[in-house]
Amino acid sequence: NVSRPSATSGADELFGGLLAPGFDRRTCLSRYQSPHYYKHSPYAPSPHLLQKLRDYEARHRKCGPGTPLYAKSVDHLRSGSSSSTEDDECNYVVWIPYNGLGNRMLSLLSTFLYALLTGRVLLVQSTDDFTDLFCEPFPGGTWALPPDFPVADMSRLGARSNESYGNLLDDKKISNDLAKATAQSVPPYVYLHLAHDLRRSDRRFYCNDDQLVLAKVNWLLLQNDFYFVPALYDMAEFEGELRRLFPAMESVAHLLGRYLFHPSNSVWGMITRYYHSYLAQAEERIGVQIRMFSWASIPVDDMYDQIMACSRQEHILPDVDGDEANTTSAAANGSSKSKAILIASLRAEYYERIKSTYYEHAAEGGGGVGVFQPSHEEKQTMGQRSHNQKALAEIYLLSFSDVLLTTGISTFGYMSSSLAGLRPTMLMIAKDHKVPETPCVRAMSMEPCFHMTPDVKCHGKEVNKEELSRHVKECEDVPKGMKWI
Ligand code: GDP
């Protein structure tokens, strides 16, 4: 029960039917409580999406680990014999975690959508650092891949693996010529290497005809670190269905993120303790995510100046009294609302500076300003569960903001904005370690950016490119990245 002062009372517990009822509340408190914390829910799920999710849940119950159909498919795989989806009632896509938490959440979400579109069951390889982060999302079954899964040592899979789709094509062990493909027998599993170091032939995953071939494969193992949803719209096989599922194109990650991700009770405890101790009392919460990439680093002073210049330009942080440069924005902003500024960053310096600013100067309009930072881990650490739990807690705390200022290119920031249902203002990234001329931009949509374009020549049926170009734009923060608006 969260009848707390600033959690939205009366919020729809199941997000307008997005979430299925019938879970044991105690096992996953966030599932029922998080709707009270979000400040924006701009898109309701379409009836078609709701139907598709309920169908998916039924499929997962029928085919998931522990069921006779799962055992049968695994037997097939263990025997190593060529098979085809026609022999098996259930087909699977196994997601292999890779890279930081934001990357993982975006690629997992994309893989779930791929499973929805292709009638597969999504299973997740649970590495130690990826456990006790999220609750089970599907009623009556687990998404965790059982440890006795017959493909041994999946962490060895990479661009060079013989079982990768690209290498299978290059070695002529599988054909994407549709005339041959219908008759050919395909391997029991194919590894899809879609991470940033993918090769040219791996990119064929993004072609319509290749999808028709992959549809014959019983088990797909997929590793990537991108939000690849925008490329799914570019395949005739999926485009129409995607439009029916998401009439508002910028709602994909927003709705699927809220459907799929529910912080575990341990992480939810961190989130709610922090929220009620520091943020709940404020009338407005401003989330600020500051990410300094080593390949684009600038001095702390310069970054602080960039944040302040952006804030003045977009009226994000409260202006301070006596700052002449701010008089115009102060007039536009002048209110006496109490505000909480939540800083998420690996470093403490920005928090220290922003906190000092509001200690040394009064905010215009006189409202109280609190500045808070839950952690400063100093550096990104791989493979450590407690580090990932803090990151997840902060992604969620940011997503409960009224206003968001995030860092461009950062998937951590993308995920908070999509969950929040907000188009963030994004800090631009330094080029050649020089402060960018434009400090920040307002995002065109709350959809994350796909950091690469598939850039592959495909054969076969194409989507209407003119229609496509109206909705797909180059990302504000990543040249050559694709984004839906
Ligand atoms: P990206 O690299 O910004 O796209 O985001 P990722 O989430 O994929 O990877 C960055 C990782 O660094 C996170 O998952 C965290 O482990 C860590 N990290 C980066 N920024 C923060 C932060 O503000 N707070 C916390 N707790 N961890 C962070």
Side-chain angles (χ1 to χ4, degrees):
N1 180 12
V2 270
S3 51
R4 311 271 190 143
S6 32
T8 321
S9 57
D12 172 3
E13 225 183 31
L14 298 173
F15 288 131
L18 191 67
L19 305 184
F23 276 88
D24 176 354
R25 282 173 184 257
R26 286 162 309 174
T27 58
C28 184
L29 296 170
S30 65
R31 201 180 158 83
Y32 292 92
Q33 294 181 356
S34 62
H36 297 277
Y37 289 80
Y38 289 116
K39 302 299 172 302
H40 306 269
S41 292
Y43 296 108
S46 68
H48 190 55
L49 174 61
L50 296 184
Q51 187 55 50
K52 198 89 178 173
L53 291 172
R54 300 298 88 85
D55 291 349
Y56 177 83
E57 288 158 1
R59 182 159 71 244
H60 202 104
R61 265 195 301 273
K62 188 177 84 170
C63 304
T67 63
L69 287 169
Y70 175 81
K72 187 178 155 204
S73 281
V74 166
D75 277 350
H76 249 134
L77 182 60
R78 195 171 281 122
S79 75
S81 60
S82 295
S83 68
S84 136
T85 47
E86 286 133 38
D87 306 336
D88 289 278
E89 223 171 299
C90 301
N91 299 297
Y92 302 84
V93 55
V94 176
W95 176 82
I96 304 169
Y98 174 58
N99 219 332
L101 189 66
N103 288 83
R104 289 182 186 198
M105 291 173 79
L106 290 176
S107 91
L108 179 52
L109 190 156
S110 309
T111 307
F112 175 59
L113 179 56
Y114 182 65
L116 285 183
L117 292 170
T118 54
R120 291 179 180 272
V121 170
L122 169 71
L123 299 177
V124 169
Q125 188 205 8
S126 319
T127 49
D128 186 55
D129 65 339
F130 205 68
T131 44
D132 203 17
L133 286 178
F134 299 104
C135 304
E136 289 286 351
F138 311 123
T142 179
W143 68 348
L145 186 73
D148 60 354
F149 186 66
V151 180
D153 194 12
M154 285 199 286
S155 43
R156 89 197 135 81
L157 292 169
R160 290 162 186 270
S161 303
N162 292 336
E163 351 27 353
S164 81
Y165 185 54
N167 289 332
L168 288 169
L169 283 173
D170 290 345
D171 299 344
K172 310 234 174 323
K173 295 203 172 122
I174 199 166
S175 166
N176 58 358
D177 174 343
L178 274 192
K180 288 187 205 151
T182 28
Q184 76 180 322
S185 66
V186 290
Y189 78 93
V190 167
Y191 166 62
L192 299 166
H193 186 77
L194 303 175
H196 62 266
D197 59 340
L198 82 178
R199 297 173 172 190
R200 186 143 291 281
S201 318
D202 294 316
R203 291 173 187 260
R204 297 208 63 97
F205 170 81
Y206 295 110
C207 290
N208 195 66
D209 283 5
D210 294 71
Q211 282 301 327
L212 299 176
V213 175
L214 290 169
K216 291 164 65 67
V217 181
N218 194 195
W219 288 88
L220 295 177
L221 316 186
L222 186 153
Q223 178 162 231
N224 98 346
D225 53 347
F226 288 121
Y227 181 70
F228 62 89
V229 170
L232 297 175
Y233 274 97
D234 203 0
M235 290 187 252
E237 191 66 9
F238 304 136
E239 184 216 4
E241 180 65 5
L242 279 169
R243 285 184 199 282
R244 280 194 293 282
L245 288 170
F246 301 100
M249 288 174 165
E250 73 162 331
S251 66
V252 181
H254 171 62
L255 292 170
L256 292 186
R258 286 195 183 179
Y259 173 80
L260 200 60
F261 299 124
H262 306 285
S264 65
N265 283 353
S266 340
V267 178
W268 189 242
M270 293 162 68
I271 297 169
T272 50
R273 279 192 297 278
Y274 200 87
Y275 185 90
H276 289 289
S277 302
Y278 302 106
L279 308 174
Q281 287 73 21
E283 288 163 280
E284 185 178 294
R285 280 154 287 270
I286 305 167
V288 180
Q289 180 242 354
I290 305 161
R291 179 95 166 100
M292 182 74 78
F293 294 102
S294 54
W295 46 267
S297 60
I298 52 174
V300 171
D301 283 339
D302 289 349
M303 187 62 179
Y304 176 75
D305 290 345
Q306 186 184 338
I307 296 165
M308 289 300 149
C310 166
S311 175
R312 279 194 295 276
Q313 179 186 300
E314 300 294 327
H315 313 305
I316 295 167
L317 300 177
D319 294 318
V320 289
D321 262 341
D323 185 345
E324 279 172 21
N326 289 341
T327 42
T328 346
S329 55
N333 219 2
S335 81
S336 55
K337 271 189 184 173
S338 64
K339 300 191 181 189
I341 302 173
L342 173 76
I343 312 274
S345 174
L346 284 169
R347 308 275 297 267
E349 289 96 333
Y350 309 105
Y351 158 74
E352 293 292 350
R353 279 172 205 229
I354 294 170
K355 189 181 65 167
S356 297
T357 302
Y358 293 100
Y359 175 47
E360 289 162 14
H361 306 275
E364 282 265 349
V369 179
V371 186
F372 308 100
Q373 179 173 13
S375 77
H376 49 92
E377 293 280 282
E378 307 307 331
K379 61 178 176 43
Q380 175 173 354
T381 309
M382 291 303 205
Q384 203 190 85
R385 189 191 303 171
S386 65
H387 177 79
N388 285 346
Q389 287 184 326
K390 284 184 197 155
L392 183 59
E394 285 163 46
I395 288 176
Y396 271 80
L397 285 166
L398 286 171
S399 78
F400 299 152
S401 302
D402 297 277
V403 177
L404 270 180
L405 170 59
T406 59
T407 303
I409 305 190
S410 169
T411 56
F412 189 108
Y414 293 164
M415 202 59 236
S416 346
S417 312
S418 295
L419 284 169
L422 272 174
R423 294 180 188 158
T425 298
M426 289 188 294
L427 293 163
M428 298 306 273
I429 298 295
K431 264 203 200 96
D432 304 324
H433 300 277
K434 289 198 188 76
V435 182
E437 261 171 46
T438 311
C440 57
V441 291
R442 199 57 214 284
M444 297 175 278
S445 104
M446 63 186 73
E447 270 291 276
C449 172
F450 181 24
H451 283 174
M452 56 168 261
T453 32
D455 197 17
V456 55
K457 245 184 143 32
C458 301
H459 313 288
K461 198 168 164 194
E462 283 203 355
V463 301
N464 179 341
K465 295 283 179 194
E466 203 184 307
E467 172 66 16
L468 191 74
S469 65
R470 273 203 286 278
H471 295 288
V472 68
K473 297 281 174 225
E474 184 168 282
C475 307
E476 304 88 340
D477 50 338
V478 183
K480 294 208 175 141
M482 294 165 80
K483 173 167 182 170
W484 280 93
I485 59 165

